[in-house]
Amino acid sequence: MKKQILVSGGAGYIGSHVTVELINAGYDVIVADNMSNCDMTCYEGVKKITGKQDIPFVEMDFCDYGAVEKLFTDYKIDAVIHFAAFKAVGESVVKPIMYYKNNLLSFLNLLEAIQKYGACNVLFSSSATVYGETKDLPVTESTQRLPSTSPYGNTKQICEDILRDTVYAHPDIKGIALRYFNPIGAHPSALIGELPRGVPNNLVPYITQTAIGKRKCLNIFGNDYPTPDGTCLRDYIDVVDLAKAHVAAVTRMIEGRMKEDYEIFNVGTGCPISVLELVTTFEKVNNLSLNYQCVERRPGDVMAIWADTTLANQELGWKAERTIEETLKSAWQWEQYISQKENK
């Protein structure tokens, strides 16, 4: 019998790409989402890409324990991949209570149901923001976690600790936290990609929306950092590569190949790219000219962060493969696809 994977937040950007790769790897997937930052576009795109029209979809909020419990009574769940969280650094600085309530309560409810019903494998969507404003670059999994620069990052630190403590207290529960860096791009089919509601909080959707004419100007937050061109340095990873890392991690848990009951892996490319370099590369590969300007730094942003991915490469048998040029082409193709749908 196929193993069933619950993907919370599975109709969203990363969740939809992970769902595709899980199905391609032979898993059955249950998608659950409250649709707070997405619509059915990516879920329908997943069905087109995989050719599966019967992917279970449950519209529910993981902050509602009764709804979470119903999932575990309705389905036999072998592993959970948890994406259901708010994720914008800047917004979290302005709305900390909203972030703490949603991100912590949803995860606590999930773990409580897992403890009660016995789904023993938990893959947590963590973030490089847990490292804070570190000077130890590139970061390894053993790099000290410094105080987070944002409530969003702090919720990721806290959830990691909750998962670690839960695993230690309940030997039948296994956990992996994937600390990923900056997911960008879209599926090569251009049928799924990042589709934020309202004004984008992430860089690449703002770039593509500026290029297509939805936004008048792209703001680059800070050009006075002590970096080669004055803008922040980031590790941008293609979302399909990221999705494949999730499959590798889930398979490691299900097949009982974990060396510890709780493990952590960085998921990135190991190659830092500045914000300005990303913008100019997008222009070059897509033969476009963007209207952009440099403005004041944004609260919560760290100056530079990129990954040492050695552990994930060795233990998960995974590595990032798509080039930044391929990734930025896919992001533009996705934006064009969405614009065509909206204009019909």
Side-chain angles (χ1 to χ4, degrees), residues 3 25 27 121 247-258:
K3 299 294 185 181
Y27 291 107
N121 300 298
V247 176
V250 163
T251 301
R252 179 180 177 86
M253 288 194 289
I254 288 176
E255 293 182 354
R257 293 189 281 108
M258 294 175 66

Side-chain angles (χ1 to χ4, degrees), residues 104 107 111 124 126 130 145 154-168 177 179 262 264:
L104 300 184
F107 195 45
L111 289 176
F124 176 62
S126 192
V130 301
R145 290 188 330 183
N154 200 26
T155 66
K156 293 299 185 182
Q157 290 182 337
I158 294 169
C159 285
E160 282 191 0
D161 293 344
I162 291 170
L163 179 57
R164 179 202 63 206
D165 293 344
T166 301
V167 166
Y168 289 164
R179 292 174 176 169
Y262 173 64
I264 297 167

